[in-house]
Amino acid sequence: MKARYTALRGTRDLLPDDVVAWQFVERIVREHFPRYGFREIRTPVIESTELFARSVGESTDIVHKEMYAFRRGEESICLRPENTASVARALVEHSIHRGIASGYPERLYYVGPMFRYERPQRGRQRQFHQIGAEVFGAPEPAADAETLEMLWAFLDAVGLRNRELVLSSLGDPEDRERFRESLTAWLAPRIATMCEDCRRRATDNPLRVFDCKVEDDVRTLEDAPEITAFLGEPAREHFDAVRGALDEYGIPYRIDPRMVRGLDYYRRTVFEVVTGDLGAQNAILGGGRYDGLVQDLGGPEVPGFGFAIGMERLISLIPEGRVPEDRADVAVVALGADGFAAAAGIARGLRTAGYRVLVPLCERPLGAQMKRADRARARFALFVGKDELARGRFGWKDLATGEQIEVDLDEAVRRLQEPGA
Ligand code: HAM
């Protein structure tokens, strides 16, 4: 028996019918993000494993459990689990930060695959895709607010209705330190009954206990101290300014002081957009401020703010009828040997004029050609036979209404150009 290969667990083929929605979303990204000054960056899919250990954090689930890492020669390489660290690396490596001027940060966006060895379930894959945006060199709350405003307008353009922005602040490092001490003291009498992962986290990085998904632990943690009670004055002011700007833009949000992000590099603002339509994996996107990251990666003091959207999750939420249909413009229907001989030339002319044309590569019966036209959702059929060629006039059928007239080729092109054609 021949071997039957299938895509690996947690990975997915995107077939032509699926890709239509992906291209729709990517088109909106490429139109919308540059309006806010974002330019695209493309970094490699493989990076040094150390990059993510340093930035995302050794004790996070992403680095601790989910990395696709392997050795090649002396190097430990991994498939990127996220892209913020890669973009920050590129910023430092190419000295992009030198071009940053006060009030004019560097704004970068990306679209591409990420890899995490997680247990696959609805909305969770091992290879998934993100649309991300990162703003470097803007410490101001206005950067958070403007980027969130861009994001909100983007979600509108995609047609996402049922969504909620959830916001919190993780404070500055010294606030985090005070919170860590308080949390450690709170955990001390409870940790013995918590899961093995939590016990490890309690010593490595106590804030990560909030990553826990074990039900009993989640219940226990409901009474834990909240980070927002530990914010110092600068972080508090920043948070208030972001909230004020969101109110001004009319962007609704809910504060969740328990929100944990699965990555260690955040400071101050953190957020997610969640929906009730996704099941357990309810986050469409996540992001926040990461002012220390560039420096941690050996660069200068360049603040950062950004987000990444899970594309699979986003695309699964696009309302029916929102994605424009992928269809052929014209099916050239060849009638008899003469028609078939001329069809390719006519198709070539229409294609040169910019239209999507379907034409058979060998003689096919009329019925079969009409069936293909229907499958390609062609808008019009152009009938080419001996008589038509002699007269220079061809049958032209609107396949939606069934209406049929005669046209010459110039008129066919004119009709294709008509709005709504
Ligand atoms: P993240 O929260 O780890 O953040 O991922 C962002 C989004 O990617 C999630 O909200 C989710 O929609 C999607 N996602 C994550 N893991 C999976 C998975 N296994 N399967 C399907 N979708 C998934 C980051 O990655 C940060 N780099 C975001 C960021 C950018 N922060 C600042 N700048």
Side-chain angles (χ1 to χ4, degrees):
M1 208 172 84
K2 273 198 210 147
R4 230 179 103 86
Y5 298 105
T6 54
L8 294 177
R9 203 162 118 75
T11 71
R12 215 177 106 195
D13 296 311
L14 295 172
L15 302 179
D17 281 344
D18 304 319
V19 171
V20 181
W22 286 68
Q23 290 180 339
F24 165 73
V25 168
E26 287 164 14
R27 228 169 17 243
I28 299 176
V29 170
R30 292 183 207 293
E31 266 170 31
H32 185 73
F33 286 25
R35 290 181 191 150
Y36 292 75
F38 284 84
R39 298 185 300 153
E40 185 174 355
I41 183 165
R42 302 185 187 193
T43 57
V45 166
I46 50 173
E47 293 275 0
S48 96
T49 308
E50 176 64 19
L51 173 67
F52 300 101
R54 273 213 75 97
S55 55
V56 172
E58 201 89 59
S59 56
T60 58
D61 281 0
I62 294 178
V63 171
H64 189 76
K65 300 181 181 170
E66 298 166 2
M67 292 272 270
Y68 278 91
F70 52 97
R71 291 198 81 79
R72 273 290 168 273
E74 291 303 294
E75 284 177 313
S76 175
I77 292 172
C78 72
L79 304 183
R80 62 182 183 194
E82 63 107 52
N83 208 26
T84 308
S86 311
V87 174
R89 175 201 49 73
L91 183 98
V92 176
E93 185 170 340
H94 303 285
S95 305
I96 301 173
H97 50 82
R98 294 227 180 98
I100 293 172
S102 173
Y104 295 92
E106 182 67 45
R107 297 179 176 90
L108 302 168
Y109 79 89
Y110 49 85
V111 179
M114 310 293 156
F115 305 84
R116 296 182 193 175
Y117 189 70
E118 295 192 78
R119 203 163 46 77
Q121 53 172 250
R122 182 173 164 219
R124 196 160 76 194
Q125 291 178 241
R126 290 178 172 170
Q127 175 175 334
F128 61 99
H129 298 74
Q130 288 184 342
I131 299 165
E134 314 289 351
V135 183
F136 292 97
E140 302 86 2
D144 310 26
E146 184 192 56
T147 308
L148 284 165
E149 192 262 320
M150 173 179 90
L151 179 59
W152 210 243
F154 169 76
L155 296 175
D156 278 338
V158 173
L160 228 73
R161 283 185 231 117
N162 183 6
R163 62 184 201 236
E164 186 180 31
L165 174 61
V166 186
L167 199 65
S168 186
S169 173
L170 298 180
D172 286 313
E174 55 276 19
D175 309 337
R176 284 263 276 275
E177 185 48 35
R178 280 186 285 120
F179 177 59
R180 200 182 61 81
E181 280 167 20
S182 162
L183 181 65
T184 305
W186 186 87
L187 281 171
R190 297 170 174 87
I191 197 67
T193 61
M194 294 176 73
C195 75
E196 194 186 320
D197 276 335
C198 279
R199 293 202 295 276
R200 170 179 60 80
R201 291 168 179 135
T203 42
D204 289 358
N205 186 352
L207 271 66
R208 295 257 68 100
V209 294
F210 295 106
D211 291 343
C212 188
K213 293 177 186 85
V214 176
E215 254 176 53
D216 284 348
D217 293 355
V218 172
R219 242 192 321 275
T220 305
L221 288 167
E222 273 170 15
D223 300 323
E226 294 179 351
I227 178 79
T228 39
F230 292 78
L231 299 189
E233 201 46 37
R236 161 80 44 208
E237 271 173 23
H238 187 100
F239 194 38
D240 288 346
V242 173
R243 294 170 55 179
L246 291 177
D247 292 338
E248 200 177 304
Y249 292 152
I251 299 175
Y253 56 86
R254 171 167 63 84
I255 307 257
D256 178 4
R258 291 246 176 267
M259 182 168 43
V260 279
R261 301 276 302 123
L263 310 93
D264 276 351
Y265 50 62
Y266 292 112
R267 290 185 190 177
R268 299 197 176 182
T269 318
V270 284
F271 60 94
E272 287 183 345
V273 172
V274 298
T275 176
D277 300 339
L278 273 177
Q281 303 305 315
N282 66 349
I284 308 166
L285 62 92
R289 180 163 280 283
Y290 47 86
D291 290 350
L293 176 63
V294 174
Q295 228 177 350
D296 282 349
L297 297 179
E301 212 175 302
V302 176
F305 180 88
F307 64 80
I309 307 172
M311 275 185 95
E312 282 80 1
R313 295 185 192 177
L314 178 73
I315 285 166
S316 73
L317 295 166
I318 300 176
E320 190 83 25
R322 185 83 183 186
V323 178
E325 265 190 301
D326 190 31
R327 48 200 304 204
D329 295 306
V330 186
V332 176
V333 178
L335 307 167
D338 294 326
F340 179 70
I346 291 176
R348 198 170 337 118
L350 291 168
R351 286 170 177 156
T352 307
Y355 296 100
R356 300 179 176 197
V357 182
L358 186 72
V359 65
L361 290 175
C362 62
E363 271 189 61
R364 303 290 301 137
L366 175 67
Q369 293 189 54
M370 294 311 287
K371 217 181 240 170
R372 297 303 297 192
D374 192 45
R375 254 180 81 175
R377 295 186 279 269
R379 294 147 61 203
F380 299 100
L382 179 76
F383 297 94
V384 182
K386 195 172 172 190
D387 290 354
E388 286 82 353
L389 286 162
R391 287 188 294 122
R393 294 189 63 78
F394 304 87
W396 178 255
K397 184 172 184 177
D398 183 323
L399 294 175
T401 63
E403 189 191 343
Q404 186 163 338
I405 53 167
E406 272 201 351
V407 296
D408 61 22
L409 290 178
D410 287 341
E411 193 178 344
V413 170
R414 265 201 308 281
R415 288 191 171 260
L416 282 166
Q417 285 167 343
E418 274 170 18

